[in-house]
mmCIF file of all heavy atoms in Angstrom:
data_model
loop_
_atom_site.group_PDB
_atom_site.id
_atom_site.type_symbol
_atom_site.label_atom_id
_atom_site.label_comp_id
_atom_site.label_asym_id
_atom_site.label_seq_id
_atom_site.Cartn_x
_atom_site.Cartn_y
_atom_site.Cartn_z
ATOM 1 N N MET A 1 97.914 35.761 -18.755
ATOM 2 C CA MET A 1 97.232 35.878 -17.625
ATOM 3 C C MET A 1 95.811 35.800 -17.725
ATOM 4 O O MET A 1 95.131 36.486 -18.430
ATOM 5 C CB MET A 1 97.635 37.202 -16.849
ATOM 6 C CG MET A 1 99.069 37.309 -16.596
ATOM 7 S SD MET A 1 99.550 38.921 -15.902
ATOM 8 C CE MET A 1 98.780 38.754 -14.355
ATOM 9 N N GLN A 2 95.096 34.825 -17.060
ATOM 10 C CA GLN A 2 93.688 34.520 -17.301
ATOM 11 C C GLN A 2 92.738 35.242 -16.159
ATOM 12 O O GLN A 2 91.782 34.654 -15.839
ATOM 13 C CB GLN A 2 93.454 33.061 -17.278
ATOM 14 C CG GLN A 2 94.333 32.254 -18.190
ATOM 15 C CD GLN A 2 94.054 32.565 -19.597
ATOM 16 O OE1 GLN A 2 92.821 32.972 -19.951
ATOM 17 N NE2 GLN A 2 94.914 32.413 -20.519
ATOM 18 N N SER A 3 93.113 36.466 -15.747
ATOM 19 C CA SER A 3 92.360 37.044 -14.703
ATOM 20 C C SER A 3 91.083 37.529 -15.272
ATOM 21 O O SER A 3 90.956 38.378 -16.068
ATOM 22 C CB SER A 3 93.148 38.290 -14.130
ATOM 23 O OG SER A 3 92.356 38.972 -13.190
ATOM 24 N N LEU A 4 89.839 36.846 -14.874
ATOM 25 C CA LEU A 4 88.550 37.195 -15.418
ATOM 26 C C LEU A 4 88.275 38.671 -15.191
ATOM 27 O O LEU A 4 88.442 39.140 -14.034
ATOM 28 C CB LEU A 4 87.549 36.250 -14.822
ATOM 29 C CG LEU A 4 87.537 34.812 -15.283
ATOM 30 C CD1 LEU A 4 86.451 34.014 -14.485
ATOM 31 C CD2 LEU A 4 87.345 34.784 -16.824
ATOM 32 N N GLY A 5 87.732 39.352 -16.147
ATOM 33 C CA GLY A 5 87.345 40.748 -15.936
ATOM 34 C C GLY A 5 88.459 41.704 -16.310
ATOM 35 O O GLY A 5 88.141 42.862 -16.444
ATOM 36 N N ASP A 6 89.704 41.255 -16.332
ATOM 37 C CA ASP A 6 90.729 42.154 -16.583
ATOM 38 C C ASP A 6 91.323 42.016 -18.019
ATOM 39 O O ASP A 6 91.811 42.890 -18.559
ATOM 40 C CB ASP A 6 91.979 41.919 -15.687
ATOM 41 C CG ASP A 6 91.653 42.357 -14.305
ATOM 42 O OD1 ASP A 6 90.806 43.252 -14.140
ATOM 43 O OD2 ASP A 6 92.228 41.873 -13.297
ATOM 44 N N THR A 7 91.161 40.887 -18.588
ATOM 45 C CA THR A 7 91.680 40.614 -19.961
ATOM 46 C C THR A 7 90.533 40.426 -20.981
ATOM 47 O O THR A 7 89.536 39.719 -20.695
ATOM 48 C CB THR A 7 92.548 39.276 -19.888
ATOM 49 O OG1 THR A 7 93.408 39.475 -18.835
ATOM 50 C CG2 THR A 7 93.236 39.081 -21.205
ATOM 51 N N VAL A 8 90.680 41.023 -22.100
ATOM 52 C CA VAL A 8 89.788 40.897 -23.173
ATOM 53 C C VAL A 8 90.391 40.184 -24.348
ATOM 54 O O VAL A 8 91.468 40.498 -24.844
ATOM 55 C CB VAL A 8 89.352 42.356 -23.718
ATOM 56 C CG1 VAL A 8 88.164 42.167 -24.722
ATOM 57 C CG2 VAL A 8 88.911 43.146 -22.614
ATOM 58 N N TYR A 9 89.797 39.064 -24.761
ATOM 59 C CA TYR A 9 90.255 38.254 -25.900
ATOM 60 C C TYR A 9 89.339 38.496 -27.070
ATOM 61 O O TYR A 9 88.198 38.088 -27.046
ATOM 62 C CB TYR A 9 90.385 36.733 -25.473
ATOM 63 C CG TYR A 9 91.222 36.522 -24.450
ATOM 64 C CD1 TYR A 9 90.814 36.502 -23.088
ATOM 65 C CD2 TYR A 9 92.609 36.322 -24.683
ATOM 66 C CE1 TYR A 9 91.736 36.224 -22.062
ATOM 67 C CE2 TYR A 9 93.437 35.913 -23.584
ATOM 68 C CZ TYR A 9 93.010 35.993 -22.326
ATOM 69 O OH TYR A 9 93.897 35.737 -21.263
ATOM 70 N N LEU A 10 89.833 39.261 -28.119
ATOM 71 C CA LEU A 10 88.971 39.591 -29.218
ATOM 72 C C LEU A 10 89.681 39.203 -30.562
ATOM 73 O O LEU A 10 90.730 39.601 -30.704
ATOM 74 C CB LEU A 10 88.623 41.061 -29.148
ATOM 75 C CG LEU A 10 87.770 41.577 -28.013
ATOM 76 C CD1 LEU A 10 87.698 43.077 -28.149
ATOM 77 C CD2 LEU A 10 86.431 41.006 -28.042
ATOM 78 N N ASP A 11 88.936 38.575 -31.364
ATOM 79 C CA ASP A 11 89.440 38.475 -32.739
ATOM 80 C C ASP A 11 88.600 39.550 -33.571
ATOM 81 O O ASP A 11 87.824 40.305 -32.995
ATOM 82 C CB ASP A 11 89.194 37.093 -33.347
ATOM 83 C CG ASP A 11 87.701 36.583 -33.244
ATOM 84 O OD1 ASP A 11 86.820 37.515 -33.195
ATOM 85 O OD2 ASP A 11 87.463 35.402 -33.328
ATOM 86 N N THR A 12 88.760 39.628 -34.815
ATOM 87 C CA THR A 12 88.176 40.639 -35.624
ATOM 88 C C THR A 12 86.651 40.617 -35.542
ATOM 89 O O THR A 12 86.039 41.699 -35.438
ATOM 90 C CB THR A 12 88.623 40.532 -37.150
ATOM 91 O OG1 THR A 12 90.049 40.517 -37.185
ATOM 92 C CG2 THR A 12 88.072 41.674 -37.982
ATOM 93 N N LYS A 13 86.149 39.357 -35.661
ATOM 94 C CA LYS A 13 84.656 39.343 -35.655
ATOM 95 C C LYS A 13 84.058 39.726 -34.218
ATOM 96 O O LYS A 13 83.004 40.428 -34.171
ATOM 97 C CB LYS A 13 84.255 37.907 -35.949
ATOM 98 C CG LYS A 13 84.423 37.402 -37.281
ATOM 99 C CD LYS A 13 83.922 35.952 -37.535
ATOM 100 C CE LYS A 13 84.236 35.491 -38.918
ATOM 101 N NZ LYS A 13 83.752 34.126 -39.092
ATOM 102 N N GLN A 14 84.822 39.406 -33.157
ATOM 103 C CA GLN A 14 84.330 39.810 -31.856
ATOM 104 C C GLN A 14 84.424 41.282 -31.661
ATOM 105 O O GLN A 14 83.525 41.936 -31.036
ATOM 106 C CB GLN A 14 85.153 39.096 -30.776
ATOM 107 C CG GLN A 14 84.869 37.558 -30.649
ATOM 108 C CD GLN A 14 85.841 36.864 -29.712
ATOM 109 O OE1 GLN A 14 87.055 37.195 -29.774
ATOM 110 N NE2 GLN A 14 85.245 36.065 -28.954
ATOM 111 N N HIS A 15 85.472 41.789 -32.341
ATOM 112 C CA HIS A 15 85.665 43.253 -32.251
ATOM 113 C C HIS A 15 84.497 44.073 -32.888
ATOM 114 O O HIS A 15 83.899 44.962 -32.384
ATOM 115 C CB HIS A 15 87.054 43.671 -32.909
ATOM 116 C CG HIS A 15 87.382 45.140 -32.666
ATOM 117 N ND1 HIS A 15 88.540 45.589 -33.218
ATOM 118 C CD2 HIS A 15 86.761 46.106 -32.031
ATOM 119 C CE1 HIS A 15 88.653 46.913 -32.881
ATOM 120 N NE2 HIS A 15 87.648 47.265 -32.160
ATOM 121 N N ARG A 16 84.097 43.528 -34.063
ATOM 122 C CA ARG A 16 82.993 44.146 -34.734
ATOM 123 C C ARG A 16 81.716 43.961 -34.061
ATOM 124 O O ARG A 16 80.861 44.935 -33.920
ATOM 125 C CB ARG A 16 82.898 43.521 -36.127
ATOM 126 C CG ARG A 16 84.010 43.890 -37.123
ATOM 127 C CD ARG A 16 83.935 43.112 -38.420
ATOM 128 N NE ARG A 16 84.948 43.427 -39.353
ATOM 129 C CZ ARG A 16 85.257 42.736 -40.376
ATOM 130 N NH1 ARG A 16 84.516 41.690 -40.732
ATOM 131 N NH2 ARG A 16 86.286 43.126 -41.112
ATOM 132 N N ALA A 17 81.494 42.862 -33.383
ATOM 133 C CA ALA A 17 80.368 42.498 -32.643
ATOM 134 C C ALA A 17 80.229 43.470 -31.408
ATOM 135 O O ALA A 17 79.107 43.956 -31.068
ATOM 136 C CB ALA A 17 80.279 41.021 -32.185
ATOM 137 N N LEU A 18 81.348 43.616 -30.806
ATOM 138 C CA LEU A 18 81.384 44.473 -29.539
ATOM 139 C C LEU A 18 80.952 45.907 -29.979
ATOM 140 O O LEU A 18 80.134 46.612 -29.236
ATOM 141 C CB LEU A 18 82.708 44.549 -28.961
ATOM 142 C CG LEU A 18 82.891 45.281 -27.626
ATOM 143 C CD1 LEU A 18 84.016 44.623 -26.818
ATOM 144 C CD2 LEU A 18 83.189 46.691 -27.820
ATOM 145 N N ARG A 19 81.503 46.415 -31.015
ATOM 146 C CA ARG A 19 81.165 47.857 -31.514
ATOM 147 C C ARG A 19 79.683 47.901 -31.927
ATOM 148 O O ARG A 19 79.021 48.804 -31.596
ATOM 149 C CB ARG A 19 82.059 48.166 -32.700
ATOM 150 C CG ARG A 19 83.460 48.417 -32.397
ATOM 151 C CD ARG A 19 84.287 48.877 -33.582
ATOM 152 N NE ARG A 19 85.626 49.261 -33.143
ATOM 153 C CZ ARG A 19 86.640 49.585 -34.038
ATOM 154 N NH1 ARG A 19 86.262 49.581 -35.333
ATOM 155 N NH2 ARG A 19 87.795 49.979 -33.644
ATOM 156 N N ALA A 20 79.202 46.807 -32.611
ATOM 157 C CA ALA A 20 77.808 46.876 -33.021
ATOM 158 C C ALA A 20 76.903 46.829 -31.746
ATOM 159 O O ALA A 20 75.798 47.549 -31.709
ATOM 160 C CB ALA A 20 77.441 45.667 -33.791
ATOM 161 N N THR A 21 77.219 46.029 -30.774
ATOM 162 C CA THR A 21 76.359 46.018 -29.499
ATOM 163 C C THR A 21 76.421 47.298 -28.802
ATOM 164 O O THR A 21 75.343 47.801 -28.330
ATOM 165 C CB THR A 21 76.906 44.912 -28.554
ATOM 166 O OG1 THR A 21 77.019 43.743 -29.325
ATOM 167 C CG2 THR A 21 76.050 44.792 -27.375
ATOM 168 N N LEU A 22 77.612 47.973 -28.734
ATOM 169 C CA LEU A 22 77.690 49.277 -28.082
ATOM 170 C C LEU A 22 76.879 50.288 -28.810
ATOM 171 O O LEU A 22 76.143 51.091 -28.223
ATOM 172 C CB LEU A 22 79.176 49.755 -28.010
ATOM 173 C CG LEU A 22 79.430 51.108 -27.393
ATOM 174 C CD1 LEU A 22 78.802 51.091 -25.979
ATOM 175 C CD2 LEU A 22 80.892 51.372 -27.327
ATOM 176 N N GLU A 23 76.968 50.326 -30.134
ATOM 177 C CA GLU A 23 76.188 51.272 -30.909
ATOM 178 C C GLU A 23 74.688 51.036 -30.788
ATOM 179 O O GLU A 23 73.904 52.005 -30.610
ATOM 180 C CB GLU A 23 76.508 51.165 -32.434
ATOM 181 C CG GLU A 23 77.982 51.740 -32.666
ATOM 182 C CD GLU A 23 78.477 51.486 -34.136
ATOM 183 O OE1 GLU A 23 77.571 50.885 -34.828
ATOM 184 O OE2 GLU A 23 79.523 51.858 -34.445
ATOM 185 N N SER A 24 74.268 49.693 -30.689
ATOM 186 C CA SER A 24 72.874 49.417 -30.418
ATOM 187 C C SER A 24 72.396 49.946 -29.052
ATOM 188 O O SER A 24 71.274 50.408 -28.988
ATOM 189 C CB SER A 24 72.676 47.864 -30.507
ATOM 190 O OG SER A 24 71.317 47.571 -30.300
ATOM 191 N N ALA A 25 73.174 49.713 -28.082
ATOM 192 C CA ALA A 25 72.846 50.203 -26.718
ATOM 193 C C ALA A 25 72.729 51.738 -26.734
ATOM 194 O O ALA A 25 71.763 52.231 -26.100
ATOM 195 C CB ALA A 25 73.885 49.741 -25.669
ATOM 196 N N ARG A 26 73.661 52.438 -27.402
ATOM 197 C CA ARG A 26 73.535 53.905 -27.425
ATOM 198 C C ARG A 26 72.299 54.324 -28.212
ATOM 199 O O ARG A 26 71.640 55.284 -27.800
ATOM 200 C CB ARG A 26 74.794 54.444 -28.065
ATOM 201 C CG ARG A 26 76.043 54.324 -27.168
ATOM 202 C CD ARG A 26 77.287 54.716 -27.948
ATOM 203 N NE ARG A 26 78.444 54.765 -27.142
ATOM 204 C CZ ARG A 26 79.704 54.793 -27.495
ATOM 205 N NH1 ARG A 26 79.880 54.865 -28.815
ATOM 206 N NH2 ARG A 26 80.721 54.759 -26.690
ATOM 207 N N ALA A 27 71.956 53.577 -29.295
ATOM 208 C CA ALA A 27 70.813 53.928 -30.101
ATOM 209 C C ALA A 27 69.526 53.791 -29.248
ATOM 210 O O ALA A 27 68.576 54.550 -29.263
ATOM 211 C CB ALA A 27 70.666 53.067 -31.321
ATOM 212 N N ASP A 28 69.400 52.608 -28.385
ATOM 213 C CA ASP A 28 68.301 52.388 -27.603
ATOM 214 C C ASP A 28 68.114 53.511 -26.512
ATOM 215 O O ASP A 28 67.049 53.980 -26.277
ATOM 216 C CB ASP A 28 68.398 51.012 -26.896
ATOM 217 C CG ASP A 28 68.237 49.855 -27.796
ATOM 218 O OD1 ASP A 28 67.751 50.119 -28.923
ATOM 219 O OD2 ASP A 28 68.684 48.840 -27.446
ATOM 220 N N ALA A 29 69.281 53.924 -25.996
ATOM 221 C CA ALA A 29 69.233 55.062 -25.019
ATOM 222 C C ALA A 29 68.763 56.305 -25.598
ATOM 223 O O ALA A 29 68.201 57.145 -24.899
ATOM 224 C CB ALA A 29 70.614 55.203 -24.391
ATOM 225 N N ALA A 30 69.013 56.506 -26.935
ATOM 226 C CA ALA A 30 68.564 57.762 -27.566
ATOM 227 C C ALA A 30 67.170 57.800 -27.962
ATOM 228 O O ALA A 30 66.589 58.781 -28.365
ATOM 229 C CB ALA A 30 69.560 58.064 -28.729
ATOM 230 N N LYS A 31 66.528 56.653 -28.027
ATOM 231 C CA LYS A 31 65.101 56.624 -28.377
ATOM 232 C C LYS A 31 64.220 57.376 -27.431
ATOM 233 O O LYS A 31 64.345 57.299 -26.211
ATOM 234 C CB LYS A 31 64.666 55.237 -28.548
ATOM 235 C CG LYS A 31 65.238 54.403 -29.708
ATOM 236 C CD LYS A 31 64.733 52.979 -29.720
ATOM 237 C CE LYS A 31 65.388 52.221 -30.888
ATOM 238 N NZ LYS A 31 64.961 50.755 -30.905
ATOM 239 N N PRO A 32 63.261 58.149 -27.908
ATOM 240 C CA PRO A 32 62.425 58.876 -27.064
ATOM 241 C C PRO A 32 61.496 57.847 -26.317
ATOM 242 O O PRO A 32 61.055 56.807 -26.844
ATOM 243 C CB PRO A 32 61.559 59.735 -28.035
ATOM 244 C CG PRO A 32 61.608 59.050 -29.354
ATOM 245 C CD PRO A 32 62.968 58.399 -29.352
ATOM 246 N N VAL A 33 61.195 58.099 -25.101
ATOM 247 C CA VAL A 33 60.327 57.285 -24.281
ATOM 248 C C VAL A 33 58.940 57.815 -24.339
ATOM 249 O O VAL A 33 58.724 59.056 -24.016
ATOM 250 C CB VAL A 33 60.927 57.284 -22.846
ATOM 251 C CG1 VAL A 33 59.997 56.378 -22.024
ATOM 252 C CG2 VAL A 33 62.298 56.741 -22.832
ATOM 253 N N THR A 34 57.999 57.033 -24.663
ATOM 254 C CA THR A 34 56.621 57.423 -24.662
ATOM 255 C C THR A 34 56.093 57.599 -23.244
ATOM 256 O O THR A 34 56.104 56.620 -22.422
ATOM 257 C CB THR A 34 55.764 56.386 -25.417
ATOM 258 O OG1 THR A 34 56.290 56.259 -26.791
ATOM 259 C CG2 THR A 34 54.341 56.933 -25.490
#
């Protein structure tokens, strides 16, 4: 089923990239704001 937004197609590299992006976003959110 090709319903956009409902289905995630991930191979191993994409899985690692997703986790890295999420961790990066969380790290940015944790940085103190001057």
Side-chain angles (χ1 to χ4, degrees):
M1 301 178 66
Q2 303 294 334
S3 176
L4 290 175
D6 289 338
T7 306
V8 185
Y9 297 93
L10 292 176
D11 58 22
T12 303
K13 291 182 179 179
Q14 289 174 316
H15 190 178
R16 291 173 180 169
L18 187 152
R19 287 182 173 175
T21 304
L22 179 57
E23 290 173 0
S24 176
R26 289 172 175 167
D28 289 342
K31 290 180 181 178
V33 179
T34 303

